[in-house]
Amino acid sequence: MSEGLVVAVRSIIGFFSLLIFARVLGKQQISQLTFFEYVLGITIGSTASTLSTDLSSRAWPHWVALISWAVLGYLMELITIKFRGAAKYIDGEPTVIIVNGKIMEQSLKRMKYRASDILQLLRNKDIFDLNQVEFAIIEPNGQISILKKAEFQPLTPNDIDKTVEPNYISTELIYDGIIIEENLKYFNKNKKWLKKELKKQNIKSSEEVFLATVDKAGNLYIDKYDDCIKKTTNDGEYKGPC
């Protein structure tokens, strides 16, 4: 068997092994990446890469290593779910680093963070003044959670006893020029109604539409492939190419 074919076969084995292991380990590997999970992901990926290209050794030891790392990672997830104490040591725990606008220096030293690191995390949350912060907590995945002081909290309709209309989730009716008939039926609509709505916006066919959505309130959004956008020049406004 040629080397190219061996690499191809090993790559296929590694690819589907990673796919299965990723499904087993779950989305937590992406959504809440702790330091341990970061190292675990790199190790599994590196082992799969070696499985594909290291022709000086047999494939099965690499595959056994892949299974072992994936099983251990899965067991660690089960342990952290069932045992709160174990999760504290494996994943870490949230750490308060700002109280009433004051940085907790001891917490910073314990986490090996610099003041500049905290300021950067705050700027990523659109906070440029420490005096606005009531509490700031570093989560186990390295993200920062912030509670602003009451006077800096955004005003909400509830604060002024104002009733607002609920938000609605939009549903696709046309995607990439193709009408999604099952979604039309969900809204008790048909192609005739849709074509009538398209005609109101001078659209002759659904093939001209990149995306069309509608919400529960009946609000229709349409985005064509060729958009006419007003652009400002020194001589005034003009419509872009259509």
Side-chain angles (χ1 to χ4, degrees), residues 197-213:
E197 294 297 320
L198 295 177
K199 204 169 186 180
K200 291 179 181 178
Q201 301 195 30
N202 298 320
I203 300 174
K204 298 179 181 178
S205 170
S206 62
E207 295 178 357
E208 299 179 35
V209 180
F210 174 68
L211 180 68
T213 63

Side-chain angles (χ1 to χ4, degrees), residues 106-169:
Q106 293 301 320
S107 298
L108 284 185
K109 290 179 181 179
R110 187 168 62 252
M111 298 184 66
K112 296 180 175 60
Y113 268 67
R114 300 170 299 177
S116 58
D117 298 327
I118 300 303
L119 293 175
Q120 180 182 347
L121 291 173
L122 291 175
R123 289 194 297 271
N124 289 338
K125 295 287 187 176
D126 297 325
I127 295 177
F128 295 84
D129 186 357
L130 284 169
N131 289 319
Q132 297 182 12
V133 181
E134 186 72 45
F135 289 100
I137 301 171
I138 297 294
E139 305 293 351
N141 61 359
Q143 299 295 320
I144 191 170
S145 300
I146 298 168
L147 176 65
K148 288 185 179 181
K149 293 180 179 179
E151 60 267 32
F152 295 107
Q153 294 280 1
L155 188 66
T156 65
N158 188 56
D159 295 327
I160 55 177
D161 295 327
K162 182 179 179 181
T163 303
V164 296
E165 293 294 326
N167 292 323
Y168 298 99
I169 298 176

Side-chain angles (χ1 to χ4, degrees), residues 221-239:
Y221 166 84
I222 297 176
D223 181 77
K224 298 194 298 182
Y225 281 104
D226 296 324
D227 296 311
C228 295
I229 302 175
K230 287 186 177 181
K231 299 181 180 180
T232 303
T233 65
N234 294 332
D235 300 328
E237 288 188 347
Y238 74 96
K239 287 187 177 180

